[in-house]
Amino acid sequence: MSKVAVRGTLLDCISNPWDCAQEKQALRFIPDGVLVVEDGKIVESGASSEILVKHPEAQVEDFSGYLIVPGFVDVHLHYAQTRIIGSFGRQLLEWLQTYTFPEELKFTSKDYADEVAAVFFQEMFKNGTTTVQSFATTHPNSVVAFFEEARRQGALALCGLTGIDREGTAPDAYRDTPQGFYDGSKELLERFHQVDRCLYSIAPRFAFGSTHEQLKMAGRLAEEHPDCWIQTHLSENPAEVASVLEFFPDCQDYLGVYEKYGLVRKRFVAGHSIYLSEDEFRRMGDADASVAFCPASNLFLGSGFFQWDRANHFGVRWGLGCDSGGGNTLSALRTLDDAYKVGMLQVVTSDREKDEESLRLSASKALYAATLGSARCLDLEQEIGNFEKGKWADFVILDTGGSSVLEFRKNGARPSDSLEDACHQFFGMMMLWVPEVIRATFCKGRRVFG
Ligand SMILES: [Zn+2]
């Protein structure tokens, strides 16, 4: 592939703003910058006045006036629920029975799975997301379709066969068996893990839906494949938490169930983690495990508020997930809008001891959460998350004046005028999101949208 120089205002994170004395220190801002891309990777980035002369053969793609940020990283969603996104009126357990399982049962058909996977990746790119960790269903076809489409599109994609075998928690036709889950996962893992940009996530859906025998199999897979990811759900909804404690009376708490089977380790990514005790947060941090924060879903399903100030306090890495279809959006920017409001509601309403400053999701913290923070959550910061040389060339071109009100709010300023203007405009796009703010999306240096 020939060398390309993409020019515009570059904004990325080089460290965690929650850890910086001044959070802006976490940002790298280059008003007239350029990303040099070759063979899908970033060869160099910096000020165009310095970089362009070093690469005279590069073909320039000029996005002057636009803001260029790293591709968004979504650490938790369900691609198989793309068609039931925005379903009315149920909390988690009822919502699963009413909408989710009937839809996910259709993924016995490879053709159906192919159709949804193709739509799903197009929608991701339209929203600027270039890395996804997704659940599939209990049918191997659902995983095959997902990885095949990811390979076609060049997206960085994590996925795995869903495990759910407990009687009464899902329709009989949907449930698998401990051995079926083990064998199916093993076969898919051997076929797709580390092929192109596909990575395998061992995926027991949640302790609510898995028996002791199935979680034992998940633990065996995790032990046999320490380089694989583990994704599941943890402490999402009070009714779910209560049932899990009944199903596993020998475990002290919800996290204790996953610990019992050896799943809680680096690359363990637990969706939601809303009702964790201080001790569970501490143990997550000690194990170097991660949380997927899914604010759109937590609000849409009425699940509750993730306390990221406590996660930060205990050194628990967390990333951002839209959790479609429990979340009513596929947009990372829209998800940040909800994340901001979850933080603000806790500042105002919660009487627990809290770090108010930490809970105010500024533009730099939000950008971090959707890019480098989520890359770290997935233990993929060596490959994605910012514009460091050698990383994948996954990035989004943002039109900060994508609607009349966004343009009006800019008050004549361009994103290149100052870091403050760039942050003000990024925050504006979060809070007043419209599809038009995504001008183009590049995956592995290839334009996949716009
Ligand atoms: Zn989920």
Side-chain angles (χ1 to χ4, degrees):
M1 200 193 279
S2 57
K3 201 184 268 186
V4 177
V6 182
R7 188 173 184 175
T9 298
L10 303 183
L11 182 68
D12 67 341
C13 292
I14 48 173
S15 56
N16 182 344
W18 275 280
D19 291 343
C20 295
Q22 298 279 327
E23 62 178 74
K24 300 273 159 62
Q25 292 166 348
L27 296 173
R28 175 168 44 195
F29 172 67
I30 306 176
D32 180 8
V34 71
L35 287 174
V36 182
V37 176
E38 193 173 27
D39 295 330
K41 299 261 176 100
I42 295 166
V43 177
E44 201 169 5
S45 65
S48 63
S49 56
E50 289 166 31
I51 304 292
L52 284 176
V53 288
K54 288 162 72 180
H55 302 274
E57 76 283 22
Q59 182 196 329
V60 177
E61 288 213 44
D62 195 353
F63 290 103
S64 296
Y66 293 90
L67 189 62
I68 305 179
V69 302
F72 300 129
V73 178
D74 194 307
V75 304
H76 181 117
L77 56 80
H78 302 252
Y79 97 88
Q81 296 171 16
T82 305
R83 198 163 245 148
I84 56 150
I85 192 166
S87 292
F88 173 75
R90 296 283 193 271
Q91 288 216 333
L92 176 68
L93 299 178
E94 267 190 83
W95 178 84
L96 286 169
Q97 302 298 337
T98 311
Y99 303 114
T100 309
F101 294 132
E103 174 65 13
E104 291 195 8
L105 266 168
K106 297 177 189 163
F107 285 70
T108 44
S109 157
K110 177 69 166 38
D111 286 345
Y112 191 78
D114 284 341
E115 181 200 336
V116 177
V119 169
F120 167 76
F121 277 102
Q122 282 314 308
E123 291 297 322
M124 284 289 103
F125 297 150
K126 275 187 199 173
N127 286 292
T129 300
T130 52
T131 292
V132 287
Q133 173 165 254
S134 177
F135 282 82
T137 72
T138 48
H139 318 99
N141 275 339
S142 68
V143 181
V144 174
F146 178 85
F147 278 140
E148 283 179 352
E149 188 62 22
R151 291 185 70 191
R152 261 192 293 278
Q153 300 294 342
L156 206 167
L158 302 91
C159 188
L161 190 67
T162 296
I164 183 164
D165 71 329
R166 183 183 293 279
E167 212 179 328
T169 60
D172 288 347
Y174 188 82
R175 287 188 298 123
D176 56 2
T177 62
Q179 194 63 45
F181 171 66
Y182 177 84
D183 294 342
S185 299
K186 194 94 176 161
E187 203 179 307
L188 291 161
L189 190 159
E190 282 162 6
R191 182 165 162 200
F192 289 106
H193 184 52
Q194 305 281 14
V195 175
D196 292 336
R197 294 213 289 170
C198 299
L199 299 169
Y200 199 85
S201 283
I202 300 157
R205 191 173 197 126
F206 53 170
F208 177 83
S210 288
T211 60
H212 156 77
E213 288 76 19
Q214 186 165 62
L215 289 174
K216 223 167 104 180
M217 288 301 188
R220 197 169 136 198
L221 286 164
E223 195 181 352
E224 290 168 353
H225 302 280
D227 66 328
C228 280
W229 281 255
I230 301 159
Q231 60 171 337
T232 189
H233 296 79
L234 170 66
S235 250
E236 178 176 359
N237 172 290
E240 171 217 16
V241 177
S243 296
V244 167
L245 296 180
E246 263 174 50
F247 293 153
F248 298 91
D250 57 327
C251 295
Q252 55 170 325
D253 49 33
Y254 198 152
L255 183 66
V257 179
Y258 296 131
E259 287 172 328
K260 179 179 171 186
Y261 298 99
L263 298 170
V264 184
R265 56 150 162 89
K266 197 167 192 180
R267 298 189 174 181
F268 171 81
V269 185
H272 312 297
S273 305
I274 292 169
Y275 297 99
L276 295 189
S277 65
E278 200 168 293
D279 192 50
E280 285 173 296
F281 270 119
R282 182 180 297 109
R283 279 147 50 209
M284 285 285 283
D286 290 348
D288 212 2
S290 305
V291 169
F293 171 36
C294 308
S297 166
N298 299 159
L299 295 176
F300 186 74
L301 296 179
S303 299
F305 302 145
F306 171 60
Q307 303 169 358
W308 71 73
D309 57 327
R310 293 178 94 188
N312 289 348
H313 178 75
F314 290 106
V316 180
R317 285 172 291 126
W318 55 274
L320 199 70
C322 73
D323 193 27
S324 160
N328 60 317
T329 183
L330 293 161
S331 158
L333 288 167
R334 263 280 287 110
T335 305
L336 287 170
D337 170 2
D338 285 336
Y340 175 81
K341 289 168 185 167
V342 164
M344 290 305 275
L345 277 165
Q346 290 186 77
V347 168
V348 175
T349 61
S350 165
D351 54 7
R352 69 181 174 87
E353 202 177 306
K354 59 195 174 267
D355 177 351
E356 292 191 8
E357 201 44 47
S358 170
L359 287 168
R360 292 194 177 92
L361 196 72
S362 60
S364 45
K365 287 171 175 167
L367 179 65
Y368 177 80
T371 59
L372 187 61
S374 282
R376 285 179 172 169
C377 166
L378 292 176
D379 190 29
L380 285 172
E381 69 270 30
Q382 303 304 321
E383 305 206 14
I384 51 166
N386 64 14
F387 298 142
E388 292 293 312
K389 180 180 171 176
K391 289 197 182 183
W392 290 107
D394 295 344
F395 53 91
V396 198
I397 314 291
L398 297 171
D399 181 355
T400 62
S403 71
S404 50
V405 70
L406 280 170
E407 189 60 46
F408 186 67
R409 185 179 178 278
K410 284 165 71 173
N411 209 15
R414 291 161 59 95
S416 56
D417 286 352
S418 71
L419 175 58
E420 284 65 35
D421 285 312
C423 285
H424 178 71
Q425 291 173 24
F426 184 83
F427 192 74
M429 288 185 292
M430 282 163 54
M431 305 318 297
L432 296 153
W433 175 85
V434 289
E436 288 75 18
V437 300
I438 310 290
R439 170 72 179 74
T441 303
F442 288 73
C443 211
K444 259 173 92 175
R446 188 174 71 90
R447 195 190 285 226
V448 289
F449 170 71

